[in-house]
DNA sequence: CTTGACTCCTTACCCAACGTCAGGATGTAT
DNA sequence: ATACATCCTGACGTTGGGTAAGGAGTCAAG
């Protein structure tokens, strides 16, 4: 008798902290349609429905719009495990950003408390970091796009896509003249490093060899994701501020 | 020449990561009106404007609607320092929730990976914790309401308000028969403990004396914020699962 | 078996915080 | 002078629900 077999909408709402309205909504847009209705037309959710709801909430927390979530979940090669994995990854990103936020906030707090005036640079940095929280889901979206792909070529494509994403972002920052101790710059450098480590299997030597190579042959037009000297210097520079 | 004196809307957008549209919007609802316009009507933001923008973003991250933010900022006894302080406090709450989230996620991930089936209880717990992130700003709202009050009686009132908030939440959970190892229960117990520690100035003995007293006189109708034996047992129980 | 007190149903309008054009004026680099 | 980016002001669209209305279903107590 420990295992219930059906939940009515109100019960489910209470247990999950969602509202009844939300569940109705998900039903109407056919994102989560309870597998049964009672004689009187009351929604009855079963275990499978709840499992689906969990997937929905996870994806929602990752920042996807409901419509996309529907597509993903209904894709034939959808894998629940990956969703959870991605969510864990994201958690780490978030924690890092929060650490940055904390340090920015602490700086400002100290300045305010001692009645010094806060420089514009600090203010802008703070605003930027606050925003990253929202803005960051875009990266996740990239990673997710290939959720249903095969594992071989997909892995590579995913990396290439993220690499070019990072590099184009860096170009942007260079164009804007962003300072190397800027939080956004630091975060970009961090991502670049992480990715190259994945590429090379974490082998420091390969990285160093490549760096050396590009330093000596600065104008090699090799398939390099557009990492030229300028970009490279920017990364190095930002990295030193991490 | 290191200090600019004016920013156009696009510049500001780029630096902060906000969109131009957002700044336009804030201008239209008169949340942030640039202090100058160029001859041609272009918005020119100065340092004070940016400082205000930072306050806005901080409050927004705390979960307040723009309309409320406007009220707060324009209140005569508004204190920027407190905003930052509150944001730091919130950061801690968020980190705690994320730790809970991580542990729930890890459990599910392990189960999924080893092809065991995941119990409904776990799924529901996970959904709950995911939701806390959004739902939690309510508590902050309570704390914030009194941002402009005096410091003496206000401090007490704030505590009383939060205490009765917590207790009524606990009553809810009891009514719903929530298990003591439920994340929501644990979080509530944590808040209760934190608050009582503030009340008593962290003096363990006072807490213990009070506990003893209420155990021996279970039906004292003293101004006790409605903490009766049932509530008390629930807290103790949940606490043991933290 | 009826009367409350809940919970459920559907339909429908409402809202915040922007996104996304459209059409035109400004600015600025070559 | 000619692009080309950036600015302006409307104005309509969108997402993810909140909120209210009017009517049945359910369940325990009298």
């Amino acid at each position: 008798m420990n295992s219930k077999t059906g939940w009515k909408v109100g019960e489910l709402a209470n247990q999950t902290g969602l509202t009844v309205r939300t569940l109705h909504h998900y039903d109407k847009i056919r994102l989560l349609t309870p597998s049964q209705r009672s004689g009187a037309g009351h929604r009855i959710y079963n275990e499978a429905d709840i499992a689906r709801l969990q997937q929905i909430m996870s994806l929602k927390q990752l920042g996807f719009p409901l419509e996309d979530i529907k597509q993903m979940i209904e894709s034939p090669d959808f894998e629940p495990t990956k969703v959870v994995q991605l969510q864990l990854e994201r958690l780490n990103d978030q924690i890092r950003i929060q650490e940055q936020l904390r340090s920015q906030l602490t700086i400002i707090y100290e300045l305010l408390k001692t009645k010094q005036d806060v420089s514009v640079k600090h203010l802008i940095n703070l605003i930027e970091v606050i925003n990253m929280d929202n803005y960051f889901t875009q990266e996740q979206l990239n990673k997710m796009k290939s959720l249903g792909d095969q594992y071989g070529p997909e892995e590579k494509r995913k990396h290439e896509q993220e690499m070019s994403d990072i590099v184009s972002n860096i170009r942007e920052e260079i164009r804007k003249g962003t300072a190397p101790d800027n939080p956004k710059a630091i975060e970009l450098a961090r991502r670049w490093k992480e990715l190259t480590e994945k590429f090379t299997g974490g082998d420091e030597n390969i990285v160093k060899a490549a760096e050396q190579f590009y330093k000596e042959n600065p104008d090699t037009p090799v398939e390099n994701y557009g990492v030229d000297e300028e970009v490279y210097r920017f990364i190095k520079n930002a990295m030193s501020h991490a």
Side-chain angles (χ1 to χ4, degrees), chain A residues 157-170:
Chain A
R157 228 211 48 225
K158 206 161 73 175
H159 284 165
E160 279 169 4
Q161 186 168 25
E162 205 189 337
M163 183 53 115
S164 78
D165 183 39
I166 292 174
V167 171
S168 79
N169 272 342
I170 291 180

Side-chain angles (χ1 to χ4, degrees), chain A residues 212-228:
Chain A
Q212 194 58 32
F213 177 78
Y214 290 124
K215 212 176 282 179
E216 285 165 9
N217 311 48
D219 38 31
T220 319
V222 74
E223 198 241 36
N224 193 15
Y225 304 101
V227 180
D228 57 18

